[in-house]
């Protein structure tokens, strides 16, 4: 594969995570069973950070907070093309993090409604799965160990 094609793979991956699309977030309940919900996700490929804005007190927030650093996955599909980002999530409620996540959400989806209970689930992405993913030799594209 030539260099241009490898760059095209990364461009396709980044574009895939910028197009308006419903995603799914998977967290673990207290009993270990999966909790899967539709969400809006933004992804910053440079920092390998995915973000989900939501309300404090939702099951997904409780699941992440209970675990401290929670293993999670976010995924999206478009026909036969799909991509999953796996990583470790934390909940952030500081005003700067919330404003940043809202701006990113507005760029991908639409301006979010006002919500004084808004928090951000931030995911440190450590693994990419799917038919649409960054090229394996790209800086930071390989799996990262936890921790």
């Amino acid at each position: 594969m030539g260099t241009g094609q490898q760059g095209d793979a990364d461009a396709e991956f980044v574009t895939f995570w910028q197009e308006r699309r419903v995603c799914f977030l998977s967290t673990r309940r207290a009993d270990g069973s999966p909790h899967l919900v539709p969400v809006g996700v933004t992804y910053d490929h440079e920092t390998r950070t995915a973000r989900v804005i939501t309300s404090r007190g939702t099951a997904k927030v409780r699941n992440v907070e209970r675990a401290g650093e929670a293993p999670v996955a976010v995924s999206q599909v478009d026909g036969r093309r799909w991509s999953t980002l796996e990583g470790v999530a934390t909940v952030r409620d500081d005003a700067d993090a919330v404003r940043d996540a809202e701006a990113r959400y507005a760029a991908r989806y639409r301006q979010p409604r006002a919500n004084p209970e808004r928090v951000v689930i931030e995911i440190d992405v450590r693994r990419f799965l799917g038919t649409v993913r960054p090229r394996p030799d790209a800086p930071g594209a390989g799996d990262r160990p936890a921790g």
Side-chain angles (χ1 to χ4, degrees), residues 66-142:
R66 183 181 49 258
E69 287 193 346
V72 300
V74 289
S75 190
Q76 61 182 358
V77 64
D78 180 31
R80 292 182 175 200
R81 300 180 328 137
W82 65 278
S83 184
T84 295
L85 311 175
E86 293 181 352
V88 176
T90 55
V91 176
R92 303 229 3 230
D93 62 1
D94 60 281
D96 289 340
V98 171
R99 267 193 304 277
D100 178 58
E102 288 172 335
R104 291 170 188 273
Y105 182 92
R108 184 173 186 191
Y109 297 100
R110 62 174 166 66
Q111 185 62 42
R113 65 177 170 74
N115 179 356
E117 294 298 310
R118 180 160 291 133
V119 296
V120 182
I121 297 174
E122 281 192 0
I123 304 163
D124 176 21
V125 177
R126 302 192 176 172
R127 180 175 295 143
F128 303 94
L129 305 168
T131 60
V132 182
R133 59 183 178 197
R135 66 183 201 271
D137 63 339

Side-chain angles (χ1 to χ4, degrees), residues 24 34 42 62 111 114 128 138:
F24 290 91
T42 62
R62 289 191 311 270
Q111 185 62 42
F128 303 94

Side-chain angles (χ1 to χ4, degrees), residues 7-46:
D8 292 346
D10 276 1
E12 178 188 9
F13 172 77
V14 169
T15 298
F16 193 69
W17 281 97
Q18 290 172 338
E19 296 166 344
R20 186 178 174 143
R21 185 173 288 113
V22 173
C23 302
F24 290 91
L25 169 69
S26 178
T27 60
R28 283 190 210 155
R29 293 184 180 101
D31 67 3
S33 65
H35 178 254
L36 182 68
V37 293
V39 293
V41 176
T42 62
Y43 176 67
D44 181 339
H45 193 49
E46 204 170 295

